């Protein structure tokens, strides 16, 4: 299977976790786009989607899937999203598509996080993919200096403004052995909106597309 075929396969496979007449949390990215396309085929069987980005909202609506505001929803069963890296503990780096803040919020409300990814995203140690950190624009250089103290090399993602009107720093050069501790540490820097480490709220199920088919990993 090519990488695109793997993305399509896991997008389709995630439908098995969709219960009839429920609200579905929807992430962001090229793999999630495959899930949204698959979801459209059963749109009459679901209540609505809660979206993690303007991009996903646009795609969902274009396919006739109703999107509801998260504030109108108390709880829902599953959140389906991709990852930039995922380790054996189901901890992830996310935010390659700059949607990390809303992704983290929607994931927090969902009962289960279903991660869909191809096998290139599986790693032993998180950090080869630069860690995205969303920051308040005013705080960007201060946060960058603090991230340097933690051993990283933050690079401003020039020209990118998030859905929340904030900036992104991509932190290179980290080898993350204690993802929960680093997530907490970065969260404490004033001006950080969200760090793209999903360790405290990792995935519960991972559907990994590989050359041999889909591998399902459950916590
Ligand atoms: C967006 C994300 C995506 O889930 C992550 O970047 C993976 O994207 P893709 O499926 O396109 O590889 O976190 O902010």
């Amino acid at each position: 299977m090519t990488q695109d075929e793997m993305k399509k396969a896991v997008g389709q496979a995630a439908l098995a976790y969709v219960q009839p007449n429920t609200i579905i949390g929807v992430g962001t990215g090229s793999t999630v786009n495959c899930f949204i396309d698959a979801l459209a085929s059963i749109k009459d069987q679901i209540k609505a989607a809660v979206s993690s980005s303007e991009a996903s909202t646009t795609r969902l609506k274009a396919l006739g899937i109703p999107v509801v505001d998260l504030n109108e929803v108390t709880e829902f069963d599953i959140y389906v999203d991709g990852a930039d890296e995922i380790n054996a503990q189901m901890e992830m780096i996310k935010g390659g598509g700059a949607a990390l803040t809303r992704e983290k919020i929607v994931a927090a409300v969902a009962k289960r996080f279903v991660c869909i990814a191809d096998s290139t995203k599986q790693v032993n140690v998180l950090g080869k993919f630069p860690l995205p950190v969303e920051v308040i624009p005013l705080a960007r250089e201060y946060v960058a200096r603090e991230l340097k103290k933690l051993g990283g090399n933050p690079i401003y993602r020039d020209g990118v403004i998030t859905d929340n009107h904030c900036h992104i720093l991509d932190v290179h050069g980290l080898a993350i052995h204690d993802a929960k501790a680093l997530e907490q540490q970065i969260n404490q820097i004033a001006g950080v909106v969200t760090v793209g480490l999903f360790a405290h709220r990792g995935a519960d199920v991972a559907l990994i597309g590989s050359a041999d088919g889909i591998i399902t990993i459950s916590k």
Side-chain angles (χ1 to χ4, degrees):
M1 276 204 272
T2 64
Q3 195 177 17
D4 277 351
E5 286 167 342
M6 289 182 209
K7 288 180 185 189
K8 275 195 189 127
V10 293
Q12 186 72 35
L15 289 187
Y17 294 83
V18 174
Q19 294 298 318
N21 208 25
T22 58
I23 288 172
I24 314 299
V26 176
T28 300
S30 57
T31 316
V32 164
N33 284 345
C34 297
F35 171 65
I36 295 174
D37 295 348
L39 196 60
S41 69
I42 58 158
K43 64 182 174 195
D44 297 335
Q45 296 167 39
I46 62 165
K47 250 190 204 161
V50 170
S51 172
S52 63
S53 64
E54 299 298 336
S56 288
T57 299
T58 302
R59 195 178 187 96
L60 286 158
K61 286 184 175 169
L63 290 168
I65 301 169
V67 177
V68 291
D69 190 293
L70 183 63
N71 290 310
E72 294 168 22
V73 178
T74 318
E75 60 171 24
F76 52 93
D77 282 342
I78 60 158
Y79 174 66
V80 179
D81 200 357
D84 297 304
E85 285 186 346
I86 181 163
N87 68 12
Q89 289 73 45
M90 308 282 254
E91 298 165 334
M92 294 165 285
I93 284 184
K94 291 185 45 54
L100 61 162
T101 296
R102 295 190 190 187
E103 290 173 342
K104 212 175 240 198
I105 296 166
V106 181
V109 182
K111 284 190 196 146
R112 282 203 301 171
F113 189 132
V114 178
C115 175
I116 51 174
D118 60 80
S119 52
T120 63
K121 309 292 183 65
Q122 284 183 300
V123 297
N124 291 324
V125 178
L126 296 169
K128 197 167 176 200
F129 188 94
L131 176 65
V133 181
E134 183 166 354
V135 298
I136 299 289
L138 169 77
R140 192 182 70 226
E141 290 309 310
Y142 166 69
V143 173
R145 289 192 294 276
E146 292 302 302
L147 290 168
K148 276 187 195 151
K149 289 181 194 165
L150 297 176
N153 177 26
I155 308 283
Y156 170 41
R157 204 183 293 179
D158 205 359
V160 171
I161 304 289
T162 68
D163 286 348
N164 316 304
H165 311 289
C166 291
H167 291 175
I168 299 278
L169 293 168
D170 291 305
V171 190
H172 295 246
L174 295 171
I176 304 168
H177 294 284
D178 189 342
K180 285 197 176 87
L182 187 63
E183 184 177 7
Q184 210 160 351
Q185 226 171 346
I186 295 178
N187 273 337
Q188 280 172 354
I189 301 172
V192 167
V193 177
T194 301
V195 54
L197 265 177
F198 285 57
H200 286 276
R201 207 289 178 253
D204 300 295
V205 179
L207 304 177
I208 305 292
S210 76
D212 302 326
I214 297 169
I215 301 162
T216 303
I217 306 165
S218 299
K219 231 178 188 173

